[in-house]
Amino acid sequence: MEETGKYSILVVDDEVVNVEVLTNILTPAYTVYTAGDGKSALEKAEKHLRDVILLDVVMPEMDGYAVLFALKNAAKTRNNPVIFATALSDPGDEQKGLDMGAEDYITKPFSPTIVRRRIEKQIMMLNSLRAAEYDIINYKLAIESMNIALWRMDIVVGDPVNPDNRFIWTREFRQMLGYSDEDDFPNVLRSWSDRLHPEDKETAVAAFAAHINDRTGQTPYDIAYRMRHKNGEYRHWDGFGKTLRDSEGVPIRVSGAVRDVTEKKQAEIALGQRDKLLRAVNLAASVLLTAEGQETFEASLLEGMEIVGRSMDMDCVEIWQNEVVDGELHAVLKHYWFSETGREIKAGVPVFRFPYSDSPQWESRLSRGEYIQGEVSALSREDQEFLSVFQIKTVLAIPIFMHDQFWGFCCIDDCRTSRSFTDDEVSILHSVCYMLANAINRRMLAAAMRRAEIAEESNKAKSRFLATMSHEIRTPMNSIMGFAELALDMPDASIAPRGKDYLVKIKDSTRWLLHIVNDILDISKIESGKMELECAPFDLHDVLSRCQSVILPGVQKKELDFSICAEPLNGKRLMGDPVRLYQALMNLLSNAVKFTNAGEIKLSSRVTQLDEGGATVVFAVRDSGIGMSSEQTEKIFDPFIQADSRTTRDYGGTGLGLAITKNIVELMGGTLSVQSRPGAGSTFSFEIRFDTVDAPGDAPDPSQLDLPEKPHFNALILVCDDNPMNQEVICGHLANVGIRTWVAENGKIGVDMVRHRMEKGDSPFDLVFMDMYMPVMDGMEAALRIMAMGTGTPVVAMTANIMASDLENYRQHGMPDYVGKPFTSQELWRVLLKYLTPVEGGRSVEQGLDDAELQRKLCLNFLRSNPAKYQAILEAAESGDIKLAHRLAHTLKGDAGMIGRSRLQDAAAAVEALLKDDALPLRGEEMHRLETELARALEELDRLFGGVVIQDERKMPTSGEIRALFEKLEPMLNNINPECTDLLDEIRAIPGTEELALRIEEYEFELAAETLAALKEKWAGSP
């Protein structure tokens, strides 16, 4: 049909008169096209389909029969209705035309009525055909959308279910079973029956035969069965059909359809299993809640574990609790239930305790809240080796946390079969494990409380005696010291020089003995509950000044560097007990002086929140002394315990100072924590929330303590650097002075970001920090391109190469200034103040307060990023890619400098220098030194982090993906939803999210939400 709405007719005749007659008859009801010979008729029909073709028979060169033959043998025109319009009226001619495929035959002279009626008839038939074809297409689409396939079978009388009977399967049916053609899946009944599940075959074949053989037609064929897919998997099907019978009920043909209902069946099975498991959980909970005595509880716990195990058809339910044995963390099997099969297998596997060092990945993964689940044969090689001794085929290990601490795990095993677990099963079993562990923990706490009640009276009696004896000892000691001081005040002539020396020693020893007695008295007060805190307004400056004046003599005697850095409180005074705060700080400072023989000691106070309600202050004392191991830090806060048995002999002391400080801090509402490494010093810190009052106008100036003033900016800076460690350092420093940052992984991305802001009409970046060695486009080229855009944005080089020749080269490439790597906060502020204007409202802060944590993150990043760096340098050099090898060596040099590995830094610098001079092949001694120092650094860091698993770097998500992830995470944190831990891998793929991931891992959701808010602001403007 034409676009005009008229049907189109093609008139083919070599006589012009005949063409005019037919045109007059058909116009204007139809759109008429004409052709004067057979060849042009075929060309027009092929190019533009017509609804009906009127065709003359007798024509020169190509008659109508030849044209009709050509039309019916062409795919495009074979369905076009053709009517012969000719003077040949012989019946044989008419029959010939109809036999060849013509739809009708009209003879000359033409009757207008007959011509119109014949054409109308063909058009009606054409419309019916088109409608039928449309219905067929829709029918096929409907069948496909419902996962339905069709089949049919002609009945063989006497043997209707013979496996070799011809059975026609549609293409869709074969595809649903994974087959492509009849060679794979022949058209015989056997193709169906041989693939039926053994448990379903007899029933399915019998139902098919019963339907066919019932001549009354009353036996339906509608059955469910399982059938094997080509990949070997059994899938669920619903089969149904209908038999065509003669008047006596004899079957002639059977047709039907099948539908794949595997997903539906699996969902039903899973739902049934979930309901079964939930009923088991309720029953187990009921059993535990009714337990009374310890023996009853043990029996009830075993019964509850058995209920869960049998409901899941599993063989083992085990509860493993963490315990430190001989200084090493072990998993100890505390409670277990075994099925008959499990009992038989476990009899030969006497494993009831194992150190996590046997499988470090288990401790790492479980402590992060990860499940270990699935078929053992499908797990990693390390897991398979670890689990082989347990002789199980399927495992589900669920970590258990108590008070945010990794308590242990629950293991549910199958010793007979390999299987997987649904999300519902894992979720329910997770709840079960926590229910069992909580029940155990409550019993343990109850037992501990009973023991505590017995010991309480004894402790009170001890504390009362200790307090009394401390006072009794203190009285004569005060007299001894007083008389010694009086004697020392006598004229020199009255006392011999040696006697005066003795008196000084008596005085110093008495003062030290009084310090010990006072510590003992404080401990007795704490243990007897008699220590109370005052609450009065005080000036933090006075407390810090007093600490400074008292500790300086000891610091100067050992020639140590000492500094105090504090943030001002903006006209506020704190409400609290300044004496006890001073005592806590002095205990920490005294320890720092005692255990530091060279280097520095730093006392800092940092205001993390200041509002109308009060102020939150973080205090920290950091030293570069002997440091401690993780085992030592676990016990240093216990009374009368020191980090090492040699400490008292080598340094003196009773081990009471930190215990007292810890209790004072806790009385103030804080928690004393320590970060330390052997040989690298220690940092003790605590956070206290104080109420505040307005300070008088003559409050002392904080600058009296030489407090560094930190600027504050409102700016947006672009950081171009491909090294994640560098990105974290510079972005962290900039964030500390209020600057928002965008990060580009190479120079090209940085140039594109600058151009994108120009094209959008946004204000340009306030500053660009440009690394020199990056892939795709280095810093030199990127700086030149940014300068050529005319944005006016200064570009500052950020590099470890700061020789005079290097700096001149940077200036020639549009970078008038530089920040050296590694840099201090003051060096960074120098550059910022040179190009940016600070804003009011900034706060001074000790930049080094977070150095320990930052250094830890840098070391961890180094450990994860550099295991393959030596091999990468070697391969790049051997392949002739000098530029890549030089960039890798330069990056390694900078990374080593940032984590304080000077020997590795020197080794990398030597290789970098060779590569800079195109010295190939590289000399063996430089590369050997680099390999040795890198291996040593990685080994030391790996020990430091307890055997951390080095993972491949994850792909950096786009800014849009990052913002989408943050939007998804925010309500989960606000609603304290533990499922946010499932997003940890995605979070860690984003630079600068280490603190956020740590908060989430430790279930500190409120703090995590605050961290997320800052990250959202950072990424809000990213393209």
Side-chain angles (χ1 to χ4, degrees):
M1 182 181 289
E2 298 289 310
E3 293 182 0
T4 59
K6 293 182 181 181
Y7 291 95
S8 61
I9 311 296
L10 176 61
V11 176
V12 185
D13 201 312
D14 61 326
E15 294 289 341
V16 177
V17 174
N18 292 334
V19 172
E20 290 180 355
V21 170
L22 288 172
T23 300
N24 290 331
I25 292 173
L26 298 173
T27 306
Y30 303 100
T31 300
V32 179
Y33 298 88
T34 63
D37 57 66
K39 183 179 179 181
S40 61
L42 291 176
E43 290 175 353
K44 291 185 177 182
E46 177 68 23
K47 188 174 182 181
H48 297 290
L49 291 177
R50 306 304 172 194
D51 295 305
V52 180
I53 299 174
L54 291 177
L55 180 61
D56 187 20
V57 174
V58 180
M59 292 184 295
E61 295 183 10
M62 188 177 195
D63 65 11
Y65 296 128
V67 175
L68 177 62
F69 180 81
L71 289 171
K72 293 302 179 182
N73 281 279
K76 189 171 183 180
T77 58
R78 67 163 55 105
N79 293 323
N80 268 70
V82 177
I83 301 174
F84 274 122
T86 178
L88 296 178
S89 57
D90 186 270
D93 295 324
E94 182 176 350
Q95 187 61 46
K96 179 180 177 180
L98 295 175
D99 289 343
M100 289 183 67
E103 276 68 32
D104 212 333
Y105 201 97
I106 306 172
T107 58
K108 301 175 183 178
F110 301 126
S111 166
T113 301
I114 292 175
V115 171
R116 293 191 188 100
R117 289 290 178 85
R118 298 289 175 85
I119 289 178
E120 288 174 0
K121 175 183 176 184
Q122 290 305 319
I123 288 176
M124 290 177 60
M125 294 176 65
L126 179 65
N127 287 338
S128 298
L129 178 61
R130 288 174 175 168
E133 290 176 345
Y134 181 77
D135 289 342
I136 290 172
I137 292 172
N138 285 340
Y139 178 62
K140 290 181 69 176
L141 289 174
I143 288 176
E144 291 175 2
S145 67
M146 292 187 293
N147 232 13
I148 291 176
L150 306 177
W151 55 265
R152 67 179 175 83
M153 184 183 80
D154 294 328
I155 302 297
V156 177
V157 178
D159 193 6
V161 291
N162 188 311
D164 294 320
N165 285 350
R166 184 164 176 77
F167 202 105
I168 307 300
W169 312 96
T170 62
R171 175 178 57 85
E172 291 80 9
F173 186 86
R174 286 189 175 88
Q175 290 176 345
M176 289 163 69
L177 276 171
Y179 298 97
S180 57
D181 52 37
E182 191 173 345
D183 292 337
D184 277 348
F185 198 88
N187 278 326
V188 292
L189 184 60
R190 184 189 305 280
S191 297
W192 169 72
S193 59
D194 285 357
R195 288 170 175 79
L196 290 170
H197 193 285
E199 296 176 2
D200 301 340
K201 183 172 182 179
E202 183 178 350
T203 303
V205 172
F208 186 59
H211 168 71
I212 294 174
N213 294 329
D214 182 6
R215 294 194 175 188
T216 67
Q218 299 301 309
T219 302
Y221 177 62
D222 188 352
I223 189 169
Y225 52 81
R226 287 164 290 176
M227 195 172 178
R228 189 176 66 252
H229 191 275
K230 187 176 182 179
N231 62 14
E233 170 194 358
Y234 279 99
R235 298 187 66 81
H236 291 267
W237 300 82
D238 281 345
F240 40 91
K242 187 73 175 178
T243 299
L244 176 67
R245 305 176 188 275
D246 62 16
S247 59
E248 297 181 358
V250 176
I252 300 172
R253 174 184 293 173
V254 60
S255 301
V258 292
R259 182 171 60 191
D260 187 342
V261 294
T262 304
E263 284 71 22
K264 177 183 175 184
K265 281 290 184 182
Q266 289 175 342
E268 291 174 354
I269 293 171
L271 187 61
Q273 176 64 24
R274 188 192 69 173
D275 291 343
K276 178 181 177 183
L277 187 56
L278 284 173
R279 289 194 296 273
V281 171
N282 291 335
L283 181 58
S286 175
V287 167
L288 286 172
L289 288 173
T290 56
E292 296 180 357
Q294 186 62 26
E295 291 184 5
T296 305
F297 173 75
E298 294 288 345
S300 299
L301 181 64
L302 181 62
E303 183 181 352
M305 296 167 72
E306 179 177 3
I307 291 169
V308 173
R310 294 201 183 280
S311 71
M312 289 286 294
D313 194 25
M314 301 292 277
D315 294 313
C316 311
V317 180
E318 305 165 345
I319 296 177
W320 297 76
Q321 187 174 345
N322 294 339
E323 288 185 5
V324 177
V325 181
D326 297 329
E328 186 174 4
L329 187 64
H330 284 63
V332 181
L333 182 60
K334 291 292 188 178
H335 305 276
Y336 59 88
W337 166 84
F338 299 148
S339 70
E340 294 76 11
T341 303
R343 193 176 302 114
E344 179 181 348
I345 290 176
K346 293 293 183 178
V349 189
V351 179
F352 296 98
R353 185 179 80 183
F354 68 86
Y356 279 111
S357 58
D358 286 356
S359 181
Q361 289 191 20
W362 273 52
E363 180 185 2
S364 173
R365 291 161 61 186
L366 291 171
S367 64
R368 292 198 305 265
E370 294 183 16
Y371 299 126
I372 299 172
Q373 62 172 312
E375 303 175 16
V376 172
S377 60
L379 299 179
S380 67
R381 180 177 57 82
E382 292 80 2
D383 283 342
Q384 292 183 44
E385 291 176 356
F386 174 65
L387 293 171
S388 62
V389 68
F390 295 91
Q391 298 184 17
I392 57 178
K393 294 188 176 180
T394 303
V395 64
L396 172 60
I398 298 175
I400 299 172
F401 294 83
M402 293 291 177
H403 308 297
D404 296 333
Q405 298 296 316
F406 176 37
W407 184 87
F409 62 93
C410 183
C411 220
I412 304 172
D413 306 326
D414 193 327
C415 301
R416 294 161 294 159
T417 59
S418 297
R419 57 172 290 180
S420 59
F421 301 93
T422 67
D423 292 342
D424 278 345
E425 288 174 336
V426 173
S427 177
I428 295 171
L429 289 172
H430 180 92
S431 301
V432 172
C433 293
Y434 269 86
M435 178 188 72
L436 297 175
N438 271 310
I440 295 169
N441 202 49
R442 283 197 303 272
R443 287 284 165 173
M444 292 171 59
L445 289 176
M449 288 179 64
R450 285 195 296 273
R451 291 192 299 270
E453 289 173 358
I454 296 173
E456 184 178 0
E457 285 302 319
S458 175
N459 285 336
K460 287 182 178 179
K462 179 197 71 174
S463 296
R464 286 193 295 269
F465 171 78
L466 195 58
T468 301
M469 292 304 299
S470 296
H471 280 292
E472 293 298 322
I473 294 172
R474 186 177 178 180
T475 301
M477 292 307 301
N478 275 326
S479 298
I480 294 171
M481 187 168 67
F483 285 123
E485 289 178 346
L486 287 173
L488 287 171
D489 287 339
M490 295 173 65
D492 292 341
S494 304
I495 306 174
R498 181 174 293 182
K500 194 161 189 175
D501 178 58
Y502 290 160
L503 286 171
V504 170
K505 291 178 178 178
I506 290 172
K507 178 182 175 183
D508 290 343
S509 297
T510 306
R511 181 182 291 111
W512 181 245
L513 184 57
L514 275 175
H515 176 72
I516 294 174
V517 172
N518 287 334
D519 281 351
I520 294 173
L521 182 59
D522 282 339
I523 284 291
S524 69
K525 285 183 179 179
I526 291 169
E527 291 187 348
S528 62
K530 292 182 177 179
M531 178 173 279
E532 297 180 357
L533 298 180
E534 294 183 359
C535 186
F538 68 93
D539 197 312
L540 182 58
H541 172 272
D542 293 340
V543 175
L544 299 179
S545 295
R546 185 181 175 197
C547 290
Q548 183 182 47
S549 61
V550 173
I551 205 67
L552 271 178
V555 169
Q556 293 169 347
K557 183 178 181 180
K558 300 183 79 171
E559 298 182 349
L560 303 175
D561 292 330
F562 178 67
S563 62
I564 297 181
C565 300
E567 289 187 11
L569 288 164
N570 296 333
K572 296 290 185 180
R573 282 195 172 191
L574 303 179
M575 295 290 294
D577 190 331
V579 174
R580 291 301 179 186
L581 177 60
Y582 164 79
Q583 183 182 0
L585 292 175
M586 280 304 303
N587 280 341
L588 298 178
L589 288 168
S590 297
N591 266 6
V593 173
K594 181 192 300 183
F595 297 112
T596 303
N597 294 319
E600 65 173 352
I601 297 172
K602 186 174 293 187
L603 167 62
S604 61
S605 68
R606 177 164 55 101
V607 181
T608 59
Q609 184 177 357
L610 181 62
D611 50 41
E612 292 301 322
T616 301
V617 185
V618 176
F619 298 92
V621 174
R622 191 179 68 191
D623 65 64
S624 57
I626 62 174
M628 294 172 286
S629 66
S630 57
E631 291 80 8
Q632 292 171 329
T633 59
E634 289 178 357
K635 57 185 180 182
I636 58 170
F637 295 131
D638 296 335
F640 305 100
I641 299 294
Q642 295 203 341
D644 192 290
S645 60
R646 295 168 299 178
T647 300
T648 300
R649 181 177 68 249
D650 295 341
Y651 295 97
T654 62
L656 292 175
L658 288 177
I660 293 170
T661 302
K662 173 178 178 291
N663 282 280
I664 290 174
V665 170
E666 290 176 352
L667 284 171
M668 292 181 174
T671 301
L672 181 61
S673 62
V674 60
Q675 292 181 343
S676 184
R677 285 186 294 141
S682 305
T683 299
F684 290 86
S685 60
F686 57 91
E687 181 180 88
I688 304 293
R689 176 69 177 175
F690 297 95
D691 290 336
T692 58
V693 294
D694 291 335
D698 57 348
D701 186 351
S703 62
Q704 294 175 11
L705 286 175
D706 298 323
L707 305 175
E709 289 293 334
K710 183 180 74 171
H712 195 79
F713 303 94
N714 181 13
L716 177 63
I717 289 181
L718 173 62
V719 176
C720 296
D721 199 312
D722 65 314
N723 189 312
M725 293 176 66
N726 291 340
Q727 292 172 7
E728 184 170 346
V729 170
I730 184 66
C731 291
H733 276 280
L734 293 174
N736 278 341
V737 291
I739 294 176
R740 294 169 292 121
T741 54
W742 282 14
V743 176
E745 289 76 17
N746 59 59
K748 182 179 183 304
I749 296 175
V751 171
D752 291 341
M753 286 182 173
V754 174
R755 182 182 297 110
H756 179 73
R757 291 187 69 84
M758 287 184 64
E759 293 172 350
K760 287 179 59 180
D762 293 340
S763 58
F765 291 105
D766 297 293
L767 197 63
V768 175
F769 283 117
M770 183 70 69
D771 185 30
M772 292 298 99
Y773 298 99
M774 295 180 288
V776 185
M777 182 186 293
D778 63 22
M780 298 287 194
E781 182 179 353
L784 286 175
R785 294 196 179 192
I786 291 174
M787 184 175 63
M789 294 182 193
T791 62
T793 300
V795 181
V796 174
M798 190 167 57
T799 176
N801 296 343
I802 53 175
M803 299 296 288
S805 59
D806 295 319
L807 300 180
E808 179 60 30
N809 194 17
Y810 304 150
R811 282 191 287 271
Q812 292 176 2
H813 285 80
M815 292 174 281
D817 216 327
Y818 73 95
V819 172
K821 295 179 183 177
F823 57 83
T824 65
S825 57
Q826 287 78 10
E827 290 170 336
L828 178 64
W829 297 347
R830 174 189 64 81
V831 174
L832 294 175
L833 289 168
K834 194 171 181 179
Y835 298 99
L836 305 176
T837 302
V839 296
E840 296 296 328
R843 300 176 303 167
S844 62
V845 66
E846 164 49 28
Q847 183 67 29
L849 286 175
D850 295 326
D851 281 357
E853 180 61 24
L854 177 59
Q855 191 71 4
R856 177 185 178 280
K857 293 178 182 178
L858 293 177
C859 289
L860 185 58
N861 279 338
F862 184 95
L863 180 60
R864 287 174 170 164
S865 304
N866 289 287
K869 189 62 68 64
Y870 170 83
Q871 191 63 30
I873 295 171
L874 185 62
E875 291 175 357
E878 290 177 346
S879 67
D881 192 346
I882 305 298
K883 186 175 182 180
L884 174 60
H886 179 267
R887 179 169 61 82
L888 292 173
H890 176 81
T891 300
L892 180 58
K893 180 186 74 173
D895 288 353
M898 281 192 288
I899 64 170
R901 293 301 191 271
S902 57
R903 289 188 297 183
L904 174 58
Q905 185 180 19
D906 293 341
V911 173
E912 180 191 17
L914 290 175
L915 291 165
K916 187 176 182 180
D917 297 331
D918 293 340
L920 284 180
L922 292 173
R923 292 201 296 268
E925 59 268 24
E926 276 80 2
M927 289 300 289
H928 177 70
R929 180 185 172 202
L930 178 64
E931 183 181 20
T932 302
E933 294 302 334
L934 178 58
R936 178 184 289 116
L938 291 172
E939 182 181 355
E940 291 173 356
L941 291 174
D942 194 45
R943 286 199 305 268
L944 174 64
F945 290 101
V948 66
V949 180
I950 302 174
Q951 303 173 342
D952 292 332
E953 292 187 4
R954 290 171 285 271
K955 181 180 179 183
M956 172 67 178
T958 66
S959 298
E961 291 170 341
I962 291 171
R963 289 193 294 269
L965 176 62
F966 287 168
E967 292 300 325
K968 179 180 179 182
L969 179 63
E970 184 175 23
M972 300 176 75
L973 294 176
N974 292 335
N975 294 325
I976 314 179
N977 185 349
E979 291 181 5
C980 63
T981 57
D982 296 339
L983 304 176
L984 279 173
D985 284 342
E986 296 175 61
I987 293 169
R988 291 192 182 99
I990 304 170
T993 58
E994 291 80 7
E995 181 181 359
L996 175 62
L998 180 64
R999 297 298 190 193
I1000 293 175
E1001 282 182 334
E1002 297 177 352
Y1003 287 83
E1004 296 176 351
F1005 295 122
E1006 185 174 349
L1007 294 175
E1010 295 175 2
T1011 305
L1012 176 61
L1015 287 170
K1016 284 185 65 180
E1017 182 178 354
K1018 170 184 175 182
W1019 288 96
S1022 300

